[in-house]
Amino acid sequence: MDSYDYVIVGAGSAGCVLANKLGEDKGHRILVLEAGPMDSNLMIHIPAGVYKAYRNPKTNWNYLTENEPELFNRKVPMPRGKVVGGSSSINSMVYMRGHPLDYDRWQSECGLKEWSYDQCLPYFKEGESSDRGEDQWRGGSGNLGVSKGSFENPLFEAFEEAGRQSGQGYSEDLNGYNPEGIARLDATRKHGRRCSAAVAHLRPALARGNVTLLTKSQVLKINMTNNSVSGVTFKHRGETRSIKANKEVILSGGAINSPHLLMLSGIGPEKHLKEHGIDVNVDLPGVGQNLQDHSCVILQYACKKSFPIHKVNQPHRKLATGIKWVFTKKGIGASNIWEAGGLIRSSSKVAYPDIQYHFGPVGFEYEDNKISLLQAFAIHVDQLRPRSRGEVTLKSADPLEKPLMTFNYLQHPEDLAEMLCGVKKARELISQQAFDEYRGEELIPGPEVESDDDLVKFIRDVAETDYHPSCSCVMGNSKMAVVDEQMKVHGVKNLRVVDASVMPQIISGNLNAPTQMIAARAADMILGKEQLSPIKASFAFND
């Protein structure tokens, strides 16, 4: 076919949700274009295969930032899913909605009247099927399977108890009543398998027969006439093709690819486009700007006691783990490893948590792109609400050449100060009595790194992404806004952007769940449906 009602660019977290919800009406013909392959690699579906999934160059865009000024001019690897399911097929599966006050800030500070948490909560619930059961915060019958961490390891129990002992707190559910403290995390996992957006949403959509998926199809340009979008041009199996969109083209390429494609198509900062010889269709200075991410450092500690997970990389144990997973979907293979974590405050002056932990009961080191497991445990420390801003820009007008990106990690002094406090808080947590029988020597950064100056040097030396690029096609009505509250691109007809790039401010947590919620709301907007009724759930906001 040479025309469809809706053409969705990208079969990632947002694109899969859109395909499913728009396709519920079988009268709609929908085309989904994905640059990567099908999600047929077994390592994608085994939760413990997450390392191999995200390090696989065949299912990854393999982006690299430009030199980051505050990280000793290091280039930071930026993995992004180039596969059906997008990054939901290669991520660590942590399901985190962010704090309710994040969305309320979108409403109060960014002028987004339709985006308070009360208005978003019903879509989180509708999309989710949680093994915790349905209540006023959680959904029980949605497409996305969500399960609480259940892998048994004494280190998880020590981690939770250390939260209580340190005063950093404990939460039964960070996505529920109390979004603060140490907790067992949720994962996008169902029956021991990864529940990616492709598994949850795209497969049901494809089964109806009115949604077509083309893999290995990279979109080169959005086709426009007089600021009205008519379709897209893309490359498929070596052939360049054009497809018409009778109703809309929807970009769901993510915070890097969506602004890149807009600029290639003449929608973006006029001066920058002209520098690359691109005809300007719409001067939108905010395209690619306001780029945000969570910076992350990882601490590791030797473990006095050995557990089976520390030896799982041994060939015979790896085989046994795989066989057990194949036949039972249980054991280490069914764990996404980072099954515990927390949301805490860097100081009492902060209104709500600005630091996130991810805790794993095993240590690791990389050598020649191979991972070795250590008798150790590890804790990620993420700075959640950065004030630093970066940008995505064109390297050239060639659509097959990767864009440039600079996040300016820790450029704002308060970002560095919060990360420093976060590292100290993590050390304080691990120093609690609950860890006494397990805690060996601190391996990274090491006991010799004590002063603030030494810790700052350590942070600058090792900080990396926590894989949450966002905010590069901001939603709103400011001069730098790219889309309106319904995600329609300003100054362009029949074109929307629906993915993490439309967030005006980054969410204080992992972005996969919020991205799927945004897409679900967008689908109703596209179809002209009334939004689900707001839900005023109660929450514990610690003073």
Side-chain angles (χ1 to χ4, degrees), residues 6 16 41 106 239 242 258 273 304 312 326 336 346 363 366 389 409 447 454 458 466 470 539:
Y6 299 101
C16 290
N41 189 314
W106 284 9
E239 180 186 353
S242 290
S258 285
L273 299 186
K304 293 178 183 177
V312 75
V326 167
N336 62 318
S346 60
Y366 300 126
R389 299 291 183 266
Y409 292 112
D454 286 344
F458 161 71
D466 203 38
S470 54
F539 294 95

Side-chain angles (χ1 to χ4, degrees), residues 475-535:
M475 178 166 49
N477 293 300
S478 68
K479 288 183 179 179
M480 296 302 285
V482 176
V483 300
D484 65 16
E485 282 199 65
Q486 297 208 340
M487 288 159 274
K488 297 177 182 177
V489 176
H490 289 301
V492 184
K493 294 180 180 178
N494 310 324
L495 178 64
R496 297 190 205 229
V497 178
V498 180
D499 54 34
S501 72
V502 305
M503 295 179 180
Q505 299 168 337
I506 196 168
I507 291 298
S508 304
N510 308 69
L511 299 192
N512 184 246
T515 299
Q516 294 195 34
M517 177 275 295
I518 287 169
R521 295 198 68 186
D524 281 354
M525 293 171 181
I526 292 166
L527 295 173
K529 289 185 176 180
E530 191 172 330
Q531 293 280 294
L532 297 177
S533 298
I535 298 174

Side-chain angles (χ1 to χ4, degrees), residues 414-425:
E414 290 184 44
D415 290 350
L416 184 60
E418 284 182 359
M419 181 63 90
L420 177 61
C421 288
V423 170
K424 291 179 177 180
K425 288 279 189 180

Side-chain angles (χ1 to χ4, degrees), residues 61 63 80-81 251 253-262 392 403 499:
W61 284 96
Y63 287 129
R80 294 282 85 203
L251 302 191
I256 296 167
N257 290 338
S258 285
H260 186 219
L261 184 56
L262 285 173
V392 177
D499 54 34

Side-chain angles (χ1 to χ4, degrees), residues 299 301 357 422-432 442 445-450 455:
L299 280 60
Y301 293 81
Y357 298 142
V423 170
K424 291 179 177 180
K425 288 279 189 180
R427 278 180 153 181
E428 173 191 277
L429 186 75
I430 303 302
S431 73
Q432 299 303 309
E442 184 180 80
E448 70 282 0
V449 181
E450 290 186 358
L455 281 171

Side-chain angles (χ1 to χ4, degrees), residues 210-231:
N210 62 323
V211 175
T212 300
L213 169 67
L214 279 185
T215 58
K216 299 183 179 180
S217 301
Q218 184 164 347
V219 177
L220 308 176
K221 187 179 182 181
I222 302 161
N223 300 328
M224 296 177 62
T225 305
N226 297 326
N227 289 8
S228 180
V229 168
S230 57

Side-chain angles (χ1 to χ4, degrees), residues 24 62 90 125 235 257 268 334 344 367 403 447 481-482 496 541:
E24 287 175 356
N62 300 297
I90 67 168
K125 288 188 62 175
K235 199 174 189 69
N257 290 338
I344 63 126
E367 187 175 350
V482 176
R496 297 190 205 229
F541 296 123

Side-chain angles (χ1 to χ4, degrees), residues 10-17 34 36-61 79-94 144 187-189 193-203 213 215 252 325 336 467 511-513 515-516:
S13 297
C16 290
V17 172
E34 168 55 45
M38 283 299 295
D39 56 342
S40 53
N41 189 314
L42 184 62
M43 287 299 108
I44 287 174
H45 302 284
I46 302 175
V50 59
Y51 169 79
K52 287 191 175 292
Y54 96 88
R55 302 282 284 204
N56 183 351
K58 295 179 181 179
T59 56
N60 193 331
W61 284 96
R80 294 282 85 203
K82 187 180 182 181
V83 61
V84 170
S87 294
S88 77
S89 288
I90 67 168
N91 67 5
S92 292
M93 290 165 272
V94 175
L144 185 68
T188 49
R189 178 180 52 219
R193 295 172 60 94
R194 177 193 291 269
C195 190
S196 68
V199 170
H201 304 287
L202 187 57
R203 278 177 172 67
L213 169 67
T215 58
S252 296
W325 183 85
N336 62 318
Y467 317 109
L511 299 192
N512 184 246
T515 299
Q516 294 195 34

